Amino acid sequence: MSDASRRTILKGAAASALGAGLVSAAELAGALTGVEASELGPALPFSFERLQQDARALSLQSFAKAVVPSPETLDEIDYDQYQKIRYRADKALRLDRDGRVPVELFHLGRYAPEPVKMHVVEDGKAREVIYSASLFDIPDPHPARRLAPGAGFAGFRVMAPDLKTVFAAMGASYFRSSGPYNQYGLSARGIAIDTAMPAPEEFPRFSQYWLQGMGSDPSAPLTIYGLLD
């Protein structure tokens, strides 16, 4: 987990214009351990070059603010309620064949209401991970149980194989990594605009992430593509 090559972060763009191309779930089994077919979107062709092209097209359009799903429900998920939600260990995304790089997803809540789309990439195909309450351990009763499928996530964290140590975490507007003593340092922003200025500060957000699996090569990097909107 300390290999610096796994820290590679490439900034890509939206895949909304990608052409469809369904593949079987077995073709992506190495990256999707624990995730059911019903919790995945269709497989679409994926490449960094394609994302760059879509980013250029997206930059010519007017900014569209994120749609917050069920804002009243998310407002009920305050700090205390959020702490009761746990991502299921058996649903961790496995981005390599040996399960050395599991990934857990963050739930939406009052303090992280804008959804982030999560995708997994393998063999040139990307599939969106669709939000479902079945991915989390949620007590009953709990407001999170009222969220509809497809609500989205608040980000993700890359874990050690034992699912106890966090290697890196990325949300809608920040990313951070743990140090040598497994403690978080400062959070970094993708872009800071008008910070400490008279005008209101802007907060560009990562609206989508793509996680590229490492396959069977232990020296291959974990690559994270992010759309900074």
Side-chain angles (χ1 to χ4, degrees):
M1 297 297 293
S2 62
D3 189 341
S5 67
R6 299 187 191 180
R7 299 174 186 265
T8 302
I9 299 177
L10 299 177
K11 293 177 181 176
S16 59
L18 300 181
L22 296 177
V23 298
S24 68
E27 291 183 63
L28 292 173
L32 307 177
T33 299
V35 181
E36 303 295 335
S38 61
E39 296 161 344
L40 297 171
L44 302 173
F46 179 89
S47 70
F48 183 53
E49 292 73 19
R50 184 185 292 267
L51 292 180
Q52 287 178 307
Q53 294 171 6
D54 288 337
R56 294 188 185 98
L58 186 64
S59 70
L60 301 177
Q61 302 176 20
S62 299
F63 174 75
K65 187 174 177 58
V67 177
V68 176
S70 304
E72 296 83 5
T73 297
L74 292 183
D75 190 61
E76 294 182 46
I77 307 177
D78 57 14
Y79 179 84
D80 292 332
Q81 291 283 15
Y82 196 86
Q83 298 308 310
K84 298 176 183 179
I85 302 174
R86 292 287 185 271
Y87 193 82
R88 290 174 51 183
D90 61 315
K91 292 291 186 177
L93 305 179
R94 303 285 177 169
L95 300 179
D96 66 285
R97 299 295 195 276
D98 300 324
R100 292 173 290 116
V101 190
V103 171
E104 296 182 341
L105 305 179
F106 292 135
H107 200 281
L108 295 172
R110 175 186 294 181
Y111 304 109
E114 296 186 349
V116 176
K117 290 186 177 182
M118 296 297 309
H119 309 261
V120 288
V121 180
E122 189 172 45
D123 298 330
K125 302 287 184 179
R127 299 185 74 174
E128 182 181 356
V129 182
I130 307 300
Y131 169 83
S132 170
S134 63
L135 295 173
F136 298 86
D137 283 325
I138 303 174
D140 191 13
H142 193 285
R145 289 187 170 274
R146 302 200 300 269
L147 283 180
F153 304 94
F156 68 97
R157 60 183 183 181
V158 182
M159 307 293 292
D162 61 3
L163 295 178
K164 295 180 180 180
T165 301
V166 179
F167 170 67
M170 303 187 74
S173 62
Y174 75 94
F175 56 94
R176 60 185 182 176
S177 181
S178 58
Y181 303 106
N182 295 325
Q183 293 179 326
Y184 277 129
L186 294 176
S187 296
R189 301 247 309 267
I191 296 179
I193 300 178
D194 290 340
T195 302
M197 299 293 286
E201 183 176 0
E202 293 186 37
F203 289 88
R205 62 186 297 271
F206 290 99
S207 59
Q208 299 193 61
Y209 285 113
W210 292 263
L211 309 179
Q212 183 169 303
M214 299 162 61
S216 58
D217 183 0
S219 64
L222 163 62
T223 304
I224 301 170
Y225 302 85
L227 169 59
L228 186 62
D229 201 357

